[in-house]
C-alpha cells in the first residue's frame, strides 16, 4: 500500500528545509534514510511524493524506485524534518550530455525557491558540472525552467520508444 503525503499544518518555510545531495546511486534513500541519517521510510515517502505531486511518475513500485535510484548518478532530496517534500535526479556521461529527471516539489512547498534549489544542486553535482548540454523534458513547467537558463530546442525532436 502506498503512503500518501500529508499536508503540513501551515505554510512551510522552504528556507528552513534541509537539502541533501546524495552519493551516486543514492544509497541512503534506498535504505530508507532521511535527513540526519534517520530511518524514515524514505522509499515509501518518495513513492507518495511522486504519486501525489506528479502525473508522469505516479504508480511506480518501491522496487522500481530503488532500482531507479541505484542507476542515477545524482539525486537531491528536500526534507522538512522527517518528511520528504522535494526530489530530483539526473544521469550523465560526465562529458557531453546530462538529463534531469523527476524533479518534484510538494504543492505546499512550491513558489518558495525550493525547486530552484533542487535543480541548482543537481547541476552542481560532480558528474554534471562540466557537461556540454543538460536536457530535461517538461509538460507544464517550461516557464520555471526558462528562469533557470534552460531554452526550448525547436531544432530537436523528442522521440519515444515505449516498452511493449
Amino acid at each position: 500500500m502506498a503512503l500518501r503525503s500529508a499536508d503540513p499544518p501551515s505554510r512551510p518555510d522552504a528556507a528552513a528545509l534541509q537539502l541533501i545531495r546524495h552519493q551516486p546511486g543514492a544509497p541512503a534513500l534506498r535504505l530508507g534514510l532521511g535527513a540526519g541519517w534517520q530511518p524514515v521510510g524514505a522509499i515509501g515517502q518518495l513513492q507518495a511524493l511522486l504519486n501525489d505531486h506528479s502525473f508522469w511518475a505516479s504508480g511506480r513500485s518501491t522496487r522500481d524506485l530503488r532500482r531507479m535510484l541505484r542507476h542515477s548518478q545524482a539525486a537531491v532530496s528536500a526534507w522538512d524534518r522527517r518528511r520528504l517534500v522535494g526530489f530530483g535526479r539526473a544521469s550523465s556521461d560526465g562529458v557531453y550530455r546530462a538529463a534531469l529527471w523527476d524533479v518534484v516539489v510538494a504543492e505546499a512547498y512550491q513558489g518558495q525557491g525550493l525547486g530552484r534549489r533542487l535543480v541548482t544542486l543537481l547541476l552542481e553535482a560532480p558528474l554534471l558540472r562540466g557537461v556540454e548540454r543538460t536536457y530535461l523534458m517538461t509538460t507544464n513547467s517550461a516557464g520555471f525552467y526558462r528562469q533557470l537558463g534552460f531554452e526550448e530546442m525547436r531544432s530537436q525532436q523528442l522521440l519515444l520508444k515505449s516498452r511493449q
Side-chain angles (χ1 to χ4, degrees):
M1 180 169 101
L3 299 173
R4 297 223 14 112
S5 59
D7 290 329
S10 62
R11 184 90 173 137
D13 179 11
L17 302 177
Q18 183 173 359
L19 274 74
I20 299 171
R21 183 185 301 141
H22 297 274
Q23 295 177 359
L29 278 178
R30 290 193 338 256
L31 291 171
L33 305 178
W37 297 88
Q38 297 299 310
V40 294
I43 289 295
Q45 288 201 48
L46 177 57
Q47 184 183 48
L49 182 69
L50 294 171
N51 284 344
D52 294 350
H53 301 285
S54 73
F55 65 88
W56 70 90
S58 182
R60 293 178 177 175
S61 72
T62 56
R63 179 179 170 264
D64 285 347
L65 290 173
R66 281 188 181 91
R67 185 174 174 204
M68 169 198 81
L69 290 169
R70 188 178 311 114
H71 297 287
S72 296
Q73 288 99 356
V76 176
S77 60
W79 298 86
D80 186 349
R81 296 176 195 84
R82 297 175 55 88
R83 180 171 178 247
L84 180 66
V85 298
F87 174 78
R89 66 186 185 94
S91 56
S92 176
D93 61 19
V95 180
Y96 300 108
R97 301 293 183 264
L100 302 187
W101 307 103
D102 301 324
V103 177
V104 61
V105 173
E107 189 174 339
Y109 294 81
Q110 293 176 7
Q112 301 178 63
L114 179 55
R116 175 182 296 273
R117 291 169 62 197
L118 285 169
V119 171
T120 298
L121 281 175
L122 285 170
L123 294 174
E124 292 173 352
L127 199 61
L128 278 78
R129 205 174 291 139
V131 297
E132 182 179 272
R133 290 185 180 194
T134 301
Y135 294 93
L136 66 88
M137 291 177 278
T138 185
T139 302
N140 53 15
S141 298
F144 166 74
Y145 289 108
R146 278 190 201 100
Q147 293 175 19
L148 300 175
F150 287 86
E151 301 172 6
E152 189 173 329
M153 296 299 302
R154 295 180 188 265
S155 63
Q156 296 181 336
Q157 281 187 319
L158 172 65
L159 302 176
L160 176 68
K161 181 175 182 346
S162 295
R163 183 171 53 184
Q164 302 290 325

